[in-house]
Amino acid sequence: MPRTRPRHALALAALLPALLAGTVLTAPTTRADTTRADDTRAQHPPAAAAPADYALTVSPGRAGPAIDRTMYGVFYEDINNAADGGLYAELVQNRSFEFAPADNPAYTPLTAWQRTATGGAAGELKVADDAERLNERNRRHLRLDLAPANTPTGRFGVVNSGYGAGMALTEGRRYDFSVWARTDRPSGTRLAAELRAADGTVLSAPLDLTVRGDRWAKYTGTLVPKVTTTGGRLAVTAAGTGTVRLDMVSLFPRDTYKGRPNGLRKDLAEKIAALKPGFLRFPGGCLVNTGSHQAYEAPNWERKRSYQWKDTIGPVEQRAVNANFWGYHQSYGLGYYEYFQFAEDIGAMPLPVVPALVTGCGQNQATDDPALLKRHIQDTLDLIEFANGPVTSEWGRKRAAMGHPRPFGLTHIGVGNEENLPDAFFARFTEFRKAIEAKHPDITVVSNSGPDDAGGVFDRHWQLNREAGVAMVDEHYYNSPQWFLENNDRYDSYDRQGPKVFLGEYASLDNRFSNALAEAAYMTGLERNADVVKLASYAPLLADVHQNQWRPDMIWFDNHRSWGSTSYEVQKLFMNNTGDRVVPSRASATPSVSGPITGAVGLSTWATSAAYDDVEVTGADGTPLLKDDFSAGDARWTRAAGRGDWAVVDGAYLQSDAAAENTLVTAGDTGWHDYDLRLKATKKSGKEGFLVAFGVRDTGNHYWWNLGGWGNTRSAVEESVDGGKQTLLEAATTIETGRTYDLHVQVRGRQVTLYLDGKKWGSFTDDKTAEPFRQVVTRDGGDLVVKVVNAQAAPARTRVDLGTDKVAPTARLTTLQGAPDAVNTADARPIQPRESTLSGIAREFTYTFPAHSVTFLRIKTR
């Protein structure tokens, strides 16, 4: 049966008339400000909406659940160009000439490279894949066939453009150059490296090297730019005659994070470190379990593989390459050793995730190969030895050879990621778990629950995990702000004796401050349930502002700047003030205002061609509201999304573009409520089925019945709120091509019932409250930390009872406040913490939490 999930689409604006009037007192705005808790003077002009009255009562004498030091962490995945051109500090793009159409159809082995010649020099260049290669796993290299120069100064070679706009170079800073090279000229070949501007202007003194011998050797040196630029280039040129071969052309800033060679971009690493994360989950994500699970070896040299850790350690010139799942090249210069080292550098628990031989992220294939499964299980055991083994062990010795004799102290390991085939996944997970626990009983093996917060796949995963007594389950979900406001109590009802929760990926679907407020409200529920939710990480972590595949993201960057999103500021505030134990507390709720589901109706498709006919809408009393058999054309319909190819064909309304996504057309009145929508639908071609919308207020706010969605693997009712979707109801229904279906949607108040070919398909009641006022209190040593989120347009005048007289008269006040549509950018950070001292603290005091704010009060107890 479809899972029914009651909820309520509560428009916060509708609450305001019901809120009680009170005195406005907003948060101080500068560190130097001192405000009394009962002061009625406004620090800012009063908000337009009247403040609401609340009560918050703390019970410090009662013990809530302990909060693990590792509760909040970060999840790193190479998505949004987060590694090469991002956290990994290498400035040369395509340094080993391995780019290929397998990575991206636009790529060639010379992507990011251009030929250059000076002084009349000439020559030929090509990328070779032959027996002269540097090594088997680095299969291509650049061959320069030099012709005699017309002048003694003539040089021929290549220029690399770096990532994005170019290489960010700072005047006077040191940049370490290296290249592997060989030559067939007995007397050697003169090689030069220099920094240039995009127009060819030379920006540094040249680095002169002489390549000697027909065996590969590494040549190094330092370049120092004379100017600061964000559009730098690296030129490598040769003079003379003969053939010189180049590979692994590299340029690293000397100033990496912690000064480590082959290291990390400093500003990005520092922003992550500033979060003080308790753990680092890596390397993904969809990278973990997509593509082939075969090794990078002859005869196929598979370029689309799941992430396999042994590909990523050892000397960088010997590491494999891969086609990144997100549509670009992955060099593995940033690999497992660097992940472990980074976790140690920032004081975070390492939490690697390995493939379970069941692909996810839309691929949904189980690999049935016992020998391959056995190999991956052994690889995972070897990974644990690499992390924890002594230097006398095989893999501990390899770790030591890379520069880290001490064990990394691995305690948790995840197997699999978002598998949509729970039974196939769990059969393989069981084999991993059995092998790991037999050899390493102190390692926590983490399972998962699929890609959604609920539904048949989620339920089956959890059933299997509970029955097997799994220690920890990794949940992932991305939802609208409203979902996060509605589901603060999600973990209140989880079994305290069952598996613990690792909330490995979650985010509200945008980067506005309203999204961050909803996430903050949800995090109060995570902390309140710290005995169940043991680990939690927002995702994704990093995104290149010019090349990205997903949003929202926590930290954005270009080639020389980085900035935290509004969600980063929320995460940082919580992660820096978590505390060690929850203090029981309770707060009054916001008065609830409800009403019927209202809105027009709509038709849409997603990567599918479909025809609709005989659309009829009637009121609950039978009153006709809309009747259209398209005999008179489509004049009653508005092409709301502006996509697709809609036309009346053979008496039906046909959307014929099988590649177009979200082609919504609408009809009717946004004030309609309590109605029946009936229609006929026929799939013509494409990947999915039908999208029938109701309760349509605009393109970002509606419900739709998604029949044959997700590649025609399942069906659901989704609610879209300001563009962010959440699933209300789900079933395994698929749609046949060429068959006509009768669809019926019945809306009564906030209850919706759906019929497919005359049979009830499912129903739900959308009546869950999106509570905008949330709080949690924790103890951090001798401090009480009162954390309040007010995600509404009205200030919240609140009577606080701390439950004890043993409190200091002043508190440290930290506030995030701003417009709900505010977005942090490279040039402006409207959302950032404001700190001050709040006086007048006592057992009982009144404080007004500003509209659209997150407030932390740190109060010393005596």
Side-chain angles (χ1 to χ4, degrees):
M1 292 292 292
R3 178 185 174 95
T4 301
R5 301 171 60 205
R7 44 208 319 126
H8 170 43
L10 179 67
L12 294 183
L15 291 172
L16 302 183
L19 300 177
L20 302 176
T23 303
V24 175
L25 174 64
T26 60
T29 59
T30 66
R31 185 179 295 275
D33 287 343
T34 300
T35 304
R36 288 189 56 81
D38 57 354
D39 194 347
T40 58
R41 295 170 298 172
Q43 305 298 312
H44 301 294
D53 284 344
Y54 292 87
L56 193 166
T57 303
V58 185
S59 301
R62 295 168 52 206
I67 305 174
D68 294 349
R69 183 194 67 82
T70 54
M71 178 171 182
Y72 291 125
V74 291
F75 161 53
Y76 179 88
E77 179 176 10
D78 187 0
I79 183 176
N80 305 315
N81 294 79
D84 298 324
L87 184 62
Y88 186 47
E90 173 67 79
L91 295 177
V92 177
Q93 183 177 190
N94 191 17
R95 66 183 177 185
S96 59
F97 309 97
E98 297 288 341
F99 278 35
D103 307 322
N104 185 296
Y107 285 174
T108 74
L110 284 172
T111 292
W113 294 97
Q114 289 184 322
R115 62 187 294 139
T116 183
T118 62
E124 294 184 1
L125 61 86
K126 69 175 182 178
V127 174
D129 182 358
D130 56 27
E132 305 300 317
R133 64 176 61 89
L134 178 59
N135 60 65
E136 283 296 287
R137 292 160 70 81
N138 192 320
R139 301 190 58 76
R140 295 181 180 141
H141 63 276
L142 182 67
R143 173 175 170 161
L144 295 178
D145 293 318
L146 306 174
N150 293 333
T151 69
T153 58
R155 309 190 68 87
F156 173 71
V158 287
V159 176
N160 188 270
S161 59
Y163 293 90
M167 300 175 181
L169 306 171
T170 302
E171 179 184 0
R173 295 281 180 89
R174 297 167 69 85
Y175 294 83
D176 292 326
F177 169 81
S178 65
V179 63
W180 285 78
R182 58 185 290 186
T183 181
D184 65 356
R185 191 177 185 193
S187 61
T189 298
R190 293 185 358 249
L191 203 66
E194 65 187 15
L195 301 175
R196 296 181 181 177
D199 64 1
T201 302
V202 176
L203 304 180
S204 71
L207 172 65
D208 293 315
L209 303 165
T210 300
V211 178
R212 298 186 185 278
D214 62 355
R215 294 176 180 263
W216 287 101
K218 187 177 183 180
Y219 298 85
T220 63
T222 302
L223 292 167
V224 180
K226 300 175 182 178
V227 298
T228 296
T229 180
T230 60
R233 305 287 190 267
L234 172 68
V236 182
T237 56
T241 61
T243 296
V244 62
R245 301 171 188 266
L246 308 178
D247 206 348
M248 295 297 292
V249 184
S250 174
L251 187 69
F252 260 88
R254 179 74 58 86
D255 191 19
T256 60
Y257 184 64
K258 300 285 187 180
R260 300 198 179 281
N262 195 52
L264 306 181
R265 180 172 148 176
K266 190 173 181 180
D267 63 322
L268 291 177
E270 286 177 342
K271 281 184 172 57
I272 298 169
L275 294 167
K276 300 180 181 177
F279 66 87
L280 171 65
R281 174 179 171 238
F282 61 90
C286 288
L287 296 184
V288 166
N289 65 336
T290 51
S292 168
H293 300 298
Q294 300 292 336
Y296 188 57
E297 61 187 11
N300 297 323
W301 299 103
E302 177 60 60
R303 282 291 290 265
K304 294 186 176 181
R305 310 181 313 285
S306 57
Y307 199 110
Q308 300 175 41
W309 78 273
K310 289 180 180 178
D311 287 345
T312 76
I313 64 166
V316 291
E317 69 273 8
Q318 296 177 16
R319 298 183 189 182
V321 296
N322 205 357
N324 183 289
F325 173 79
W326 299 107
Y328 51 91
H329 178 85
Q330 194 166 17
S331 75
Y332 287 151
L334 174 57
Y336 257 70
Y337 178 82
E338 289 77 21
Y339 287 129
F340 277 120
Q341 183 68 78
F342 185 44
E344 182 176 272
D345 284 344
I346 62 178
M349 175 185 81
L351 205 167
V353 183
V354 299
L357 275 69
V358 178
T359 56
C361 303
Q363 295 184 354
N364 303 332
Q365 297 291 325
T367 299
D368 187 13
D369 184 336
L372 188 59
L373 176 63
K374 183 177 180 180
R375 193 267 286 177
H376 275 267
I377 291 172
Q378 184 59 52
D379 283 353
T380 303
L381 296 175
D382 293 343
L383 170 60
I384 297 171
E385 184 179 292
F386 176 78
N388 292 351
V391 296
T392 54
S393 67
E394 177 186 359
W395 293 96
R397 188 180 305 113
K398 292 181 184 293
R399 181 195 68 240
M402 294 185 72
H404 202 284
R406 296 188 322 277
F408 283 114
L410 178 67
T411 60
H412 291 65
I413 191 165
V415 177
N417 176 77
E418 295 187 8
E419 283 78 13
N420 257 315
L421 304 173
D423 289 276
F425 160 74
F426 206 78
R428 291 153 180 79
F429 171 84
T430 299
E431 296 302 310
F432 277 88
R433 181 188 178 199
K434 182 168 59 176
I436 294 169
E437 291 182 347
K439 194 167 184 178
H440 302 282
D442 54 334
I443 297 290
T444 299
V445 186
V446 183
S447 182
N448 76 85
S449 62
D452 296 309
D453 61 277
V457 169
F458 176 89
D459 291 342
R460 180 58 175 162
H461 268 294
W462 263 103
Q463 178 188 357
L464 294 167
N465 286 315
R466 281 193 300 267
E467 290 174 351
V470 169
M472 184 173 286
V473 176
D474 186 3
E475 293 190 353
H476 294 181
Y477 40 82
Y478 298 89
N479 288 316
S480 68
Q482 179 161 309
W483 186 94
F484 285 97
L485 293 175
E486 290 177 351
N487 286 276
N488 178 274
D489 62 350
R490 174 182 176 88
Y491 296 107
D492 291 1
S493 59
Y494 270 50
D495 182 3
R496 269 41 206 172
Q497 306 306 314
K500 302 305 180 185
V501 172
F502 171 22
L503 181 49
E505 296 185 35
Y506 74 98
S508 167
L509 290 169
D510 206 338
N511 270 153
R512 297 174 297 171
F513 189 44
S514 58
N515 300 90
L517 286 169
E519 291 155 3
Y522 193 70
M523 293 171 79
T524 66
L526 301 183
E527 291 191 6
R528 187 176 65 251
N529 288 283
D531 55 331
V532 170
V533 183
K534 306 304 288 184
L535 306 169
S537 50
Y538 178 102
L541 178 63
L542 295 172
D544 183 335
V545 71
H546 298 301
Q547 296 185 23
N548 54 79
Q549 297 80 42
W550 181 265
R551 64 178 306 136
D553 300 284
M554 196 192 298
I555 300 169
W556 292 84
F557 64 89
D558 57 22
N559 70 344
H560 67 290
R561 298 173 296 180
S562 58
W563 56 97
S565 67
T566 63
S567 294
Y568 173 86
E569 298 297 347
V570 161
Q571 294 290 325
K572 184 178 179 182
L573 188 57
F574 274 84
M575 292 167 77
N576 282 228
N577 297 277
T578 306
D580 45 47
R581 184 170 292 276
V582 176
V583 179
S585 60
R586 65 182 186 276
S588 55
T590 305
S592 177
V593 177
S594 186
I597 292 174
T598 60
V601 298
L603 310 170
S604 189
T605 59
W606 197 289
T608 301
S609 172
Y612 299 96
D613 204 357
D614 297 333
V615 180
E616 183 177 1
V617 182
T618 56
D621 60 358
T623 303
L625 300 175
L626 172 70
K627 189 170 185 178
D628 199 342
D629 63 4
F630 301 101
S631 59
D634 63 355
R636 304 182 73 175
W637 296 84
T638 299
R639 301 187 184 188
R643 289 184 289 272
D645 188 3
W646 289 94
V648 176
V649 177
D650 297 329
Y653 201 21
L654 174 68
Q655 198 293 107
S656 59
D657 185 346
E661 298 179 348
N662 190 8
T663 62
L664 183 66
V665 294
T666 61
D669 191 326
T670 56
W672 281 353
H673 60 88
D674 297 298
Y675 57 78
D676 289 82
L677 165 63
R678 294 179 173 87
L679 67 146
K680 297 182 185 300
T682 307
K683 175 180 175 178
K684 298 296 186 179
S685 66
K687 297 178 180 179
E688 302 201 351
F690 316 121
L691 291 166
V692 177
F694 55 97
V696 179
R697 295 182 296 285
D698 53 52
T699 55
N701 294 276
H702 56 75
Y703 302 80
W704 66 24
W705 190 5
N706 187 348
L707 283 162
W710 296 272
N712 204 16
T713 60
R714 57 193 175 101
S715 299
V717 176
E718 297 176 281
E719 180 185 11
S720 176
V721 179
D722 294 332
K725 296 187 183 68
Q726 53 186 297
T727 300
L728 310 187
L729 189 64
E730 184 180 346
T733 308
T734 58
I735 296 300
E736 299 174 21
T737 301
R739 174 182 166 187
T740 298
Y741 292 82
D742 290 314
L743 311 181
H744 175 193
V745 180
Q746 182 185 78
V747 181
R748 297 291 185 271
R750 303 207 66 81
Q751 183 174 344
V752 178
T753 308
L754 304 110
Y755 300 88
L756 181 62
D757 288 335
K759 296 181 180 179
K760 183 177 177 180
W761 182 85
S763 65
F764 66 92
T765 302
D766 187 10
D767 62 355
K768 198 167 185 179
T769 300
E771 172 58 59
F773 186 82
R774 294 292 187 182
Q775 59 80 33
V776 70
V777 181
T778 63
R779 188 175 293 280
D780 189 9
D783 295 351
L784 284 177
V785 186
V786 179
K787 310 171 187 183
V788 176
V789 181
N790 184 26
Q792 61 184 325
R797 187 174 187 272
T798 305
R799 187 71 175 173
V800 181
D801 182 352
L802 295 175
T804 177
D805 294 317
K806 297 179 179 180
V807 294
T810 61
R812 195 173 82 200
L813 179 70
T814 306
T815 305
L816 295 171
Q817 181 190 8
D821 287 336
V823 176
N824 285 354
T825 68
D827 300 313
R829 283 180 57 206
I831 304 302
Q832 55 183 306
R834 298 168 180 170
E835 296 186 1
S836 64
T837 299
L838 182 67
S839 63
I841 302 297
R843 178 189 178 108
E844 294 188 4
F845 64 94
T846 298
Y847 183 73
T848 298
F849 296 95
H852 305 304
S853 69
V854 181
T855 304
F856 278 34
L857 280 167
R858 181 174 281 270
I859 303 168
K860 292 190 176 298
T861 58
R862 295 176 294 180

